Amino acid sequence: MRALPKTLALLLCVNSYYVLGADVQSETTPQLANTYINDAILPPMEPWHGDSESLLMAADDEWATPFERDGLKTSPSYVETFAWLDKLIAQTDKLKKVSLGKSPQGRDIWMIIASDNGAKTPESLAANNKPTVMVQAGIHAGEIDGKDAGMMLLRDIVLGNKGALLEQANLLFVPIFSVDGHERSSQFNRVNQRGPVDMGWRTTANNLNLNRDYAKADTLEMQHMLIAINQWQPDLYIDVHVTDGIDYQYDVTFGYNLAQGLSPASFRWLDKQYRPFVEASLQSQGHQPGPLVFAMDNRDMSKGLSLWNASPRFSNGYGDARHLPTILIENHSLKPFKQRVLGTYVMLEATLKLVGEQATTLKSAIKQDSYRYSERLTLTWQSEQQKAGWDFKGIDYTLEDSVISGEQVVRWSGKPKLYKNLPVIGNTLADIKVNRPSTYYIPPQWTEVIGRLELHGIRMTRLEQSKSISLSQYQFSAPQFARQDYEGRQRVTAEVSSKVVTTQLPAGTVKIDTRQPLGDLAILLLEPQSPDSLFQWGFFNPIFTRTEYIEHYAVEPMAAKMLAEDPSLQAEFDKALQDTAFASDAQARLRWFYERSPYYDRAYLAYPVLRN
């Protein structure tokens, strides 16, 4: 059959979102536009080829992954993914498959264990004394590059020439984290992203974002993941995403929390050992790596770039808090799926090589951070301009007046442009700090809070009998509740003061010593001024409800008796009356006496978590 003229082939692509004929498989023909249904509304794309294309297996090979078999533009369904992986696992004793637990819709969240000794339990994996890398794909199920890259890499470890990777390191691979979101698949899900053809949904079946859930751990999926982290104890955690936002030349960007965070030794290892090695590996295979890139203003690159110090609701911020070196990969959404998958493969392979070679220095950094026990911890950060700017490999653009929106819109040209020495603004200026408490005490009735802390792996003991003790307790005023729900929670902030109280702790009260490897995480979860504290996530909202009252007919005689018996109280009341607003507010005057009476609810606006 005579080949179609290229112009006709391209025309047909617009309707079918496939490149026809030899353009699908050829290693010499540049990848063309109009591959995906949304190409017509996305910025122009430069053709890409790199040495990493040699990693691809022919589509008709028995061991081609579904991605390779179907034109490098699709990603398999949940059932197809694990049918292929089960077939691979059956070929070797180096791969095992375990379920981390079931999703709300009843799907298993599978994890593949890859090790030289065929480990299938945390104990047998630890017994081989090798460092362990944990890789999860599909926390946002449409951002699925890591799944297809990991399938290829496992295939090449078992059947190809990459078996040596397991001689010095173990791999834990979760192909699909958000399994229910993965199956809410459509070609219309991620309009800003070039493939795969059908993409999963960003959130879970409960419409919750897993990469906002590490601290509060509301989702069943996240609870399974935290248990897995505690059981399998990885030494490096990789979370694979695809980013949105501006256009730029980098195809694989990645980052981790900063030197100012809670794991400075891990930061130094990641920045001085990991990044140079991985970036060199990517560049050698034809990819353009870069740091995590976020613009301060997507329509004005001259305003600079954002440097991100994440809080524990995010994977990288959570890793920083629990001293688990964590890498956030953000592949560039405007690069083709094929390019992103191959870049991820190269990065994962390089990671296993380096972790195997640098196991001692990596474990040493983790240990330094885990037993650092800083006397002062920063809870919140303010933004500041960094001392050094960045040379940014961007894409040129123009601004046009839009008749649709009535404002200016960016038109990316697709042409590379180097932006020299752009300013960098990061949340690196310490704001609210607290002294490290030696101990927290949580009354036993706060079962949900205690359960979440146990889920995170924080060590705790319980008082076997009641105990009278003087402790510090936070008092709240002027609570501010969020005006709308966020991630299934009504968030709250409040003004905070502290006083020493003598209290009787009941038997069963939980005691948490902060001098433990997860002590810093406990502090960020329990200090109410921490943005990802369980307090701000609404776990303690019942303390804002008043449940006992006193009638006005009872306050009046009680107040008169109080004033008659206590001249100093009379003087205090007279001073309060100098405030005209107070003096003219009958409710406020009566409440003033109620709050000073023995009838007042002392638990109202008092934080039930006490600190020593």
Side-chain angles (χ1 to χ4, degrees), residues 268-319:
R268 289 192 295 272
W269 186 88
L270 290 166
D271 216 44
K272 303 302 181 185
Q273 303 293 326
Y274 183 85
R275 181 174 288 280
F277 183 83
V278 169
E279 287 192 339
S281 299
L282 285 162
Q283 288 168 346
S284 71
Q285 293 292 305
H287 295 275
Q288 183 63 260
L292 282 181
V293 175
F294 306 100
M296 296 301 295
D297 183 339
N298 287 358
R299 291 182 294 184
D300 187 354
M301 293 306 302
S302 68
K303 291 183 180 178
L305 302 171
S306 171
L307 186 66
W308 186 36
N309 199 22
S311 74
R313 74 186 62 174
F314 303 98
S315 61
N316 47 326
Y318 182 73

Side-chain angles (χ1 to χ4, degrees), residues 404-435:
I404 305 297
S405 66
E407 63 177 2
Q408 287 191 314
V409 63
V410 171
R411 301 295 187 198
W412 302 102
S413 71
K415 302 301 180 185
K417 178 178 178 179
L418 179 64
Y419 296 82
K420 296 284 289 183
N421 198 32
L422 285 180
V424 179
I425 294 86
N427 54 331
T428 55
L429 180 64
D431 184 17
I432 298 175
K433 292 186 173 184
V434 293
N435 290 328

Side-chain angles (χ1 to χ4, degrees), residues 23-38:
D23 291 332
V24 172
Q25 301 297 338
S26 171
E27 294 185 4
T28 58
T29 304
Q31 180 141 359
L32 301 173
N34 301 318
T35 299
Y36 302 102
I37 198 168
N38 54 338

Side-chain angles (χ1 to χ4, degrees), residues 371-386:
Y371 296 96
R372 185 164 166 253
Y373 304 147
S374 253
E375 291 305 311
R376 295 272 287 171
L377 269 79
T378 301
L379 302 180
T380 62
W381 300 88
Q382 293 182 353
S383 293
E384 61 180 346
Q385 183 164 335
Q386 307 300 296

Side-chain angles (χ1 to χ4, degrees), residues 351-526:
T351 297
L352 286 172
K353 286 181 181 177
L354 182 71
V355 169
E357 294 170 0
Q358 297 285 331
T360 301
T361 56
L362 173 58
K363 287 178 177 290
S364 175
I366 294 170
K367 192 168 185 178
Q368 288 178 55
D369 292 330
S370 298
Y371 296 96
R372 185 164 166 253
Y373 304 147
S374 253
E375 291 305 311
R376 295 272 287 171
L377 269 79
T378 301
L379 302 180
T380 62
W381 300 88
Q382 293 182 353
S383 293
E384 61 180 346
Q385 183 164 335
Q386 307 300 296
K387 292 180 180 178
W390 286 353
D391 288 344
F392 172 61
K393 295 179 179 180
I395 298 293
D396 201 4
Y397 68 94
T398 57
L399 293 175
E400 296 180 8
D401 294 326
S402 169
V403 297
I404 305 297
S405 66
E407 63 177 2
Q408 287 191 314
V409 63
V410 171
R411 301 295 187 198
W412 302 102
S413 71
K415 302 301 180 185
K417 178 178 178 179
L418 179 64
Y419 296 82
K420 296 284 289 183
N421 198 32
L422 285 180
V424 179
I425 294 86
N427 54 331
T428 55
L429 180 64
D431 184 17
I432 298 175
K433 292 186 173 184
V434 293
N435 290 328
R436 183 186 206 91
S438 63
T439 315
Y440 289 105
Y441 292 91
I442 309 173
Q445 64 268 27
W446 293 95
T447 54
E448 186 180 28
V449 170
I450 294 167
R452 294 302 161 87
L453 297 172
E454 287 177 324
L455 191 69
H456 285 289
I458 294 167
R459 295 201 301 259
M460 58 186 71
T461 58
R462 288 184 182 263
L463 300 184
E464 294 182 0
Q465 56 188 15
S466 179
K467 179 179 181 180
S468 179
I469 188 171
S470 291
L471 298 167
S472 174
Q473 184 176 38
Y474 290 119
Q475 304 287 321
F476 300 123
S477 60
Q480 297 290 321
F481 294 92
R483 297 183 63 182
Q484 63 184 29
D485 171 275
Y486 178 65
E487 290 298 319
R489 289 270 172 184
Q490 184 181 26
R491 286 180 57 83
V492 62
T493 57
E495 295 178 10
V496 177
S497 61
S498 180
K499 67 177 182 180
V500 175
V501 299
T502 300
T503 187
Q504 190 75 24
L505 297 175
T509 293
V510 162
K511 177 183 178 182
I512 296 175
D513 187 341
T514 68
R515 293 181 71 83
Q516 60 169 295
L518 296 184
D520 290 350
L521 176 61
I523 291 170
L524 292 188
L525 292 175
L526 291 174

Side-chain angles (χ1 to χ4, degrees), residues 30 53 67 112 136 217 234 248 255 259 328 398 442 483 494 500 523 530 554 573:
E53 289 175 298
F67 159 71
I112 313 301
Q136 72 181 24
Y248 45 75
L328 175 66
T398 57
I442 309 173
R483 297 183 63 182
V500 175
I523 291 170
S530 168
F573 183 55

Side-chain angles (χ1 to χ4, degrees), residues 227-260:
I227 291 171
I229 290 172
N230 284 311
Q231 288 179 339
W232 294 89
Q233 290 293 310
D235 300 288
L236 187 68
Y237 185 40
I238 295 182
D239 182 19
V240 187
H241 290 250
V242 180
T243 190
D244 293 320
I246 58 175
D247 201 359
Y248 45 75
Q249 298 171 48
Y250 312 106
D251 55 354
V252 180
T253 71
F254 63 96
Y256 28 81
N257 266 32
L258 308 179
Q260 292 85 350

